Amino acid sequence: MNDPLKSCLPPDPNPTRPAQALPAGSCDAHCHVFGPANRFPYAADRSYTPPDAPYEHLVALHDFLGFDRGVIVQASCHGTDNTAMLDAIARGEGRYRGVAIVDDGIDEKGLVALNDGGVRGVRFNFVQHLGGRPDMKVFWRVLDRVAEMGWHVVLHLDANDIVELQDTLSKIRIPFVIDHMGRVQAARGVEQEPFRLLVELMRDNPLAWVKVCGAERVSVGKKPFDDAIPFASTLIETAPDRVLWGTDFPHPNISKDMPNDGGLVDLMFRFCPDEDLRKRLLIDNPARLYDFA
């Protein structure tokens, strides 16, 4: 097939050393492995083609930044073939957990195999430029199945989805995690309706979690992305026991300013300066949700 996206940029190859050391047990709760394509081919119906970012690259970054754990999130470029993610989890020997993408054909045997392989959740994409909303009948059937596994669901939403899917979110009966602060736009301010509803959701629904990462996607797009700080800080203060943070390495589909992963760690320290809250964000919360020993 013709390569649909030659413009999917690689990550910054020279991460800076974070100004402060991460505490022991810290978890990068949102990262990816891509390929290598000659071993783990990309999905034929993908909406983008990333540069390869294999397991070795992820481990090197985590060792450099000081992460002891990570959650590898299946991305749409690999579709429902979770092989690359499962291979990375296995090679990590307990260092990693995973979030899979599955379809309606998954059966109990398949779910058990994923669970045994370190998967603890499934992800659904609603973002328009990545294909838009899933078949909602499939969505509910899959949630019924993974509920029996004790898993959660990760929702990759656009900001407008937070407004339009209020009824859907209220009906979810398992823990659900909203990626990247709901992809709200910093330029529209903290009073914008999607963010106001997200804060209300985090305050009122004990099943709701949110990742306060993706600052480069929330920001107007220029490093060091400090315009995302008020959004992340508000969410942490609203639900300190249901927030997660991750690098989003290797940052697929960034069309603005490619982040530096060390700079993102520094940004996290700026929007979460309290040591106790940072421990919950980086250690306690991911350990609880992802079943780290």
Side-chain angles (χ1 to χ4, degrees), residues 104-221:
D104 205 26
I106 193 77
D107 57 14
E108 182 179 357
K109 181 179 179 181
L111 289 173
V112 169
L114 289 172
N115 190 77
D116 290 347
V119 169
R120 295 296 181 267
V122 292
R123 190 188 200 204
F124 281 93
N125 170 67
F126 290 75
V127 174
Q128 192 62 41
H129 73 265
L130 297 176
R133 295 183 184 179
D135 182 327
M136 295 307 292
K137 292 181 181 178
V138 172
F139 175 82
W140 292 116
R141 285 196 291 265
V142 169
L143 262 59
D144 285 343
R145 291 172 183 166
V146 304
E148 300 173 6
M149 308 295 297
W151 291 3
H152 62 276
V153 60
V154 175
L155 306 176
H156 190 198
L157 307 174
D158 280 319
N160 62 295
D161 293 321
I162 300 172
V163 180
E164 297 174 9
L165 296 174
Q166 285 291 296
D167 185 59
T168 297
L169 296 174
S170 71
K171 293 177 180 176
I172 297 176
R173 294 294 176 256
I174 62 174
F176 59 95
V177 184
I178 294 177
D179 274 342
H180 305 321
M181 296 184 270
R183 297 177 68 104
V184 297
Q185 298 303 301
R188 296 180 61 191
V190 294
E191 298 303 320
Q192 64 183 280
E193 185 181 16
F195 189 67
R196 178 177 57 79
L197 291 174
L198 178 59
V199 172
E200 289 178 4
L201 179 71
M202 295 306 302
R203 183 190 65 212
D204 298 337
N205 190 331
L207 294 175
W209 293 61
V210 66
K211 294 177 187 172
V212 291
C213 55
E216 68 276 18
R217 303 182 190 278
V218 169
S219 170
V220 296

